[in-house]
Amino acid sequence: MAKHVDKADPVAAPELRFGGVWQYEPAPETTDHCAIAARYQLYIGGQWTKPRSGEYLATIDPATERPLSEVALAGDRDVDAAVKAAQKAFPAWRARSGEDRARYLFRIARILLERAREFAVLETLDNGKPIKETRDVDVPLAAQHFFYHAGWADKLDLLFPGQRPQPLGVIGQVIPWNFPLLMAAWKIAPALAAGNTVVLKPAETSPLTALRLCEVFEQAGLPPGVANVVTGDGRTGAALVRHPGLAKVAFTGSTEVGKEIQRAVAGRGVELTLELGGKAAHLVFEDAALDQAVEGVVRGIFFNQGHVCCAGSRLLVQESVHDLFVDKLRRRMGRIRVGPPLDKNTDMGAIHSQAQLARIRELVAAGVDEGARLHQTACDLPAKGFWFPPSMFTGVSMSHRIAREEIFGPVLSVLTFRTPEEAVEKANNTSYGLSAGIWTDKGARVLWLAARMQAGVVWNNTFNRFDAASPFGGYKESGFGREGGRQGLRAYVRLAGGLSPG
Ligand code: NAD
């Protein structure tokens, strides 16, 4: 099999290349206002609590491999204490008026915005994503989720008329590392708005913003036990989901772990929502505004280093414009600035972990072996930290692993189609069904396609845009249940039926 690797991309703008291997240490003045403790405990019942095991996990800055802090490894007994704290807090929290719960959520949202800078820096350090994104996307959207759900807390009867919405009880929530603060907000805000109490388990490699969110809860005066955070790894997550005190489990993460969780809760009468992986089709038709589509495709795959479940990782371009579009895309990729995550001019930061980098490398090697052509933007990357250049494969066929498996990195696979029917067939030919994008000038075509595409979210002439009012979730192996909007709140209430009193 012929191998095509086009590493020194001739179209990459030379003035934007890094002059050599750069060293990166965050300047002290940028991190001054974001003090990080040497060690964090568990947040249980409003108290910072040491883990019974006495064990801690290190969390590092993926851009430098510098240790940032240590977080507690919660075991079964710690998880049990957290669930019990949430159970204890539940009767009083559900008994509060919706207006009262809304006040706490508004307060949390406002404090988050007041401390936005600190949260953005902390998220960038712990995750590796560019400050431009944490500042403009992660933190404001997290606050928006608290604002949005505060707005519904006293209007649930209007949202579900005549159905007497009731909270479920204690919710166990497990989240991944790619949007740590935002995923915490997606999970906690609707649960609390509806009168539930929660135990949240952040990812082991990016726990710091969820722990800092507990400081915000304290500052907002949230009653103890309403929101608890237990840090740890997969063992902690597994201990949480099997706890008999839970009324519901909400999980965001890999399809593999999602399936395990589904087995763990089966037959227990526990509600479950799963937000899992994706391999989104991003369609570009010949009549689209191609320059805008290039921007959308870049945002679709290189935003957050491609660590995005709904990333537009399978680009389907109409055959008639394939060469022109790929050429434009390669030129645009040459202008993506890969660099220090805390630099406000950086477009793409560090890969989140050594393990994720290994996975990306393995799949890229598989793509080359299978005969697809690899184009990589020329950039010299530092020896320390985890880095991968913006990459694109052309000549990809549906049978290639890079067209089927979630890479979860800055790697785009380009395929072609001739007709809308073929585009739909190829788009749906995946085990996933989380999101899709369509670039075309024809409104009727968008409606025709959207009705046929098996994807929870279909963007038209844009990509990777999120809003708290808009439901997000998948089909097939991308999971079930929705987050955001009315549908997201539905997953946190029991509808008793009958008329609401009054
Ligand atoms: P992961 O499944 O490995 O881990 C997610 C979380 O689950 C972590 O907190 C982890 O500690 C915990 N966990 C691991 N094993 C567990 C077990 N047996 N029981 C309970 N919890 C367990 O996923 P990841 O690598 O952190 O995240 C990447 C994945 O998440 C990707 O596949 C991505 O597509 C998906 N994701 C989906 C969405 C969505 O909304 N659909 C959003 C973000 C990420």
Side-chain angles (χ1 to χ4, degrees):
M1 182 82 62
K3 295 184 185 181
H4 310 277
V5 182
D6 177 12
K7 276 194 186 283
D9 188 338
V11 299
E15 70 276 15
L16 290 166
R17 289 188 57 166
F18 293 105
V21 175
W22 40 271
Q23 296 301 320
Y24 166 53
E25 267 304 313
E29 66 275 13
T30 53
T31 52
D32 263 1
H33 54 272
C34 176
I36 300 175
R39 189 170 258 198
Y40 288 92
Q41 312 298 348
L42 306 165
Y43 190 68
I44 298 178
Q47 303 288 323
W48 293 99
T49 311
K50 289 190 175 159
R52 311 273 160 101
S53 66
E55 283 183 66
Y56 291 81
L57 301 170
T59 180
I60 64 168
D61 175 351
T64 60
E65 299 177 55
R66 188 170 61 100
L68 291 173
S69 184
E70 285 185 344
V71 300
L73 172 64
D76 285 11
R77 285 185 301 156
D78 304 302
V79 167
D80 183 52
V83 173
K84 289 206 167 106
Q87 282 174 323
K88 191 170 164 210
F90 176 61
W93 183 248
R94 78 173 297 179
R96 283 175 188 268
S97 66
E99 192 188 346
D100 199 18
R101 288 199 301 271
R103 251 186 235 125
Y104 287 102
L105 295 181
F106 273 126
R107 238 180 263 159
I108 292 166
R110 274 203 312 270
I111 297 168
L112 253 180
L113 287 185
E114 279 160 23
R115 296 174 64 170
R117 200 180 155 91
E118 168 195 349
F119 270 94
V121 171
L122 188 61
E123 193 79 304
T124 286
L125 286 171
D126 203 20
N127 178 279
K129 60 173 81 190
I131 190 80
K132 193 153 72 175
E133 290 178 7
T134 50
R135 184 196 60 193
D136 298 345
V137 181
D138 299 63
V139 179
L141 261 185
Q144 192 204 24
H145 271 264
F146 282 101
F147 277 125
Y148 175 81
H149 288 99
W152 279 124
D154 61 347
K155 301 174 197 72
L156 293 173
D157 282 339
L158 297 177
L159 200 55
F160 305 105
Q163 299 175 85
R164 292 172 38 228
Q166 301 296 318
L168 300 171
V170 177
I171 319 290
Q173 306 179 316
V174 181
I175 57 171
W177 45 259
N178 57 338
F179 290 94
L181 176 69
L182 187 58
M183 290 297 116
W186 277 29
K187 293 272 179 287
I188 296 174
L192 299 196
N196 304 283
T197 55
V198 303
V199 179
L200 177 91
K201 210 296 277 173
E204 49 272 47
T205 51
S206 61
L208 296 183
T209 45
L211 289 165
R212 195 149 302 210
L213 190 58
C214 300
E215 291 178 17
V216 172
F217 296 155
E218 283 180 343
Q219 213 179 327
L222 192 70
V226 169
N228 306 273
V229 172
V230 288
T231 45
D233 55 20
R235 291 168 291 176
T236 311
L240 179 58
V241 301
R242 68 171 173 258
H243 196 288
L246 301 183
K248 170 182 160 72
V249 170
F251 172 75
T252 298
S254 61
T255 295
E256 194 189 3
V257 173
K259 286 179 182 174
E260 257 181 67
I261 291 177
Q262 205 168 6
R263 284 191 287 271
V265 304
R268 283 168 41 196
V270 173
E271 302 273 336
L272 177 66
T273 43
L274 297 175
E275 301 275 3
L276 310 175
K279 191 76 190 174
H282 203 165
L283 275 47
V284 177
F285 283 83
E286 61 189 3
D287 63 352
L290 293 187
D291 290 331
Q292 284 173 32
V294 164
E295 291 307 312
V297 169
V298 165
R299 183 182 172 90
I301 187 64
F302 300 118
F303 168 63
N304 200 28
Q305 295 72 244
H307 302 327
V308 183
C309 49
C310 52
S313 53
R314 273 189 307 146
L315 177 64
L316 294 170
V317 187
Q318 198 155 19
E319 213 172 76
S320 50
V321 290
H322 171 271
D323 292 354
L324 174 65
F325 194 77
V326 164
D327 192 47
K328 282 176 182 282
L329 194 52
R330 287 176 68 202
R331 287 175 190 280
R332 178 63 181 84
M333 281 170 62
R335 294 202 304 276
I336 293 172
R337 285 165 298 209
V338 183
L342 278 175
D343 183 334
K344 64 180 177 359
N345 294 314
T346 289
D347 299 314
M348 232 181 78
I351 297 301
H352 178 64
S353 67
Q354 179 100 61
Q356 191 56 35
L357 182 59
R359 159 112 185 127
I360 295 168
R361 284 182 174 153
E362 191 227 314
L363 276 161
V364 166
V368 172
D369 279 346
E370 287 180 322
R373 185 179 187 95
L374 175 65
H375 312 265
Q376 283 185 319
T377 302
C379 45
D380 300 315
L381 302 170
K384 271 274 192 201
F386 315 126
W387 301 93
F388 202 81
S391 304
M392 167 169 68
F393 278 107
T394 53
V396 179
S397 79
M398 291 296 290
S399 61
H400 287 164
R401 282 184 70 197
I402 51 170
R404 289 182 287 115
E405 295 181 32
E406 185 181 42
I407 302 176
F408 220 54
V411 185
L412 182 66
S413 299
V414 186
L415 299 100
T416 57
F417 68 87
R418 286 186 185 164
T419 62
E421 289 78 8
E422 189 189 354
V424 171
E425 193 192 318
K426 284 189 167 168
N428 289 343
N429 188 357
T430 167
S431 54
Y432 295 111
L434 190 55
S435 67
I438 305 167
W439 290 83
T440 177
D441 209 22
K442 294 191 172 61
R445 176 181 284 160
V446 175
L447 296 176
W448 187 89
L449 287 162
R452 286 161 180 78
M453 287 169 84
Q454 293 161 350
V457 180
V458 180
W459 282 292
N460 174 218
N461 293 344
T462 187
F463 206 91
N464 272 344
R465 298 274 171 197
F466 308 97
D467 192 288
S470 179
F472 184 90
Y475 289 97
K476 301 193 279 189
E477 295 203 2
S478 291
F480 49 81
R482 295 291 179 264
E483 290 189 307
R486 177 183 187 276
Q487 293 83 350
L489 268 162
R490 172 66 189 86
Y492 284 100
V493 291
R494 183 167 290 119
L495 297 180
L499 291 175
S500 299

